[in-house]
Amino acid sequence: MTHEERLAALGLVLPEIPVSVANYLPYRFAGNLLYLSGQGPVDAAGNYSLGKVGGNVSIEQAYADARLTGINLLAVARKALGSLDRVREVVKVLGMVNAVPEFTQHPAVMNGFSDLMVDVFGEAGRHARSAVGMGSLPNGMTVEVEAILLVE
């Protein structure tokens, strides 16, 4: 099964990618590496999931937010590549969690993103990862994720 077929079998529809609101690119190629700029949990209506994990946001909600962020990053990758079938593997991920200082379950939150990558890409979706806590994130969103993909 191809990556695009897996995506369809999961019932996932990728959104249109948002226009950059600052002086950056949503993606950049360097040889056969595709660098994806940080994305957050924004739904199709443009609404962000906001709050502090471990405060007014549960681990379960933040896991879902990390998964939604993964869907948004897949949309950027498809825009860059034309098809997710060009992805050879997910190489490296940086996951940032907007959390209260006492929160320590950052990996559990970022598993929402990582589990999605494995669901879509199979073994090629397994990646190196950092999951870190932040005092704040843009717009007050709960998570932000950036990724590096090896592509054909």
Side-chain angles (χ1 to χ4, degrees):
M1 184 178 292
T2 69
H3 303 324
E4 290 284 348
E5 290 169 342
R6 253 192 222 111
L7 187 73
L10 292 167
L12 297 174
V13 176
L14 301 183
E16 291 296 318
I17 68 168
V19 175
S20 298
V21 295
N23 191 15
Y24 73 95
L25 299 170
Y27 61 87
R28 180 82 182 221
F29 288 96
N32 61 344
L33 294 175
L34 175 61
Y35 288 77
L36 301 175
S37 292
Q39 296 284 325
V42 59
D43 64 20
N47 300 310
Y48 283 91
S49 182
L50 307 176
K52 290 277 191 184
V53 183
N56 63 339
V57 177
S58 69
I59 291 175
E60 295 78 15
Q61 178 59 53
Y63 175 99
D65 292 346
R67 182 177 174 86
L68 174 59
T69 300
I71 291 168
N72 293 334
L73 278 170
L74 290 175
V76 174
R78 182 192 273 163
K79 175 79 170 180
L81 300 168
S83 170
L84 294 178
D85 292 336
R86 291 185 54 201
V87 174
R88 288 182 39 206
E89 57 189 44
V90 180
V91 177
K92 176 71 168 84
V93 170
L94 171 59
M96 297 160 273
V97 180
N98 187 1
V100 298
E102 302 78 26
F103 187 74
T104 61
Q105 301 299 312
H106 307 91
V109 170
M110 290 314 306
N111 282 342
F113 177 89
S114 297
D115 292 347
L116 175 68
M117 294 301 108
V118 173
D119 289 346
V120 172
F121 298 114
E123 194 61 26
R126 294 179 51 79
H127 49 269
R129 181 183 81 184
S130 298
V132 298
M134 299 291 177
S136 66
L137 288 173
N139 301 312
M141 62 189 171
T142 55
V143 298
E144 182 175 358
V145 182
E146 62 180 44
I148 304 169
L149 310 178
L150 180 65
V151 301
E152 295 176 352

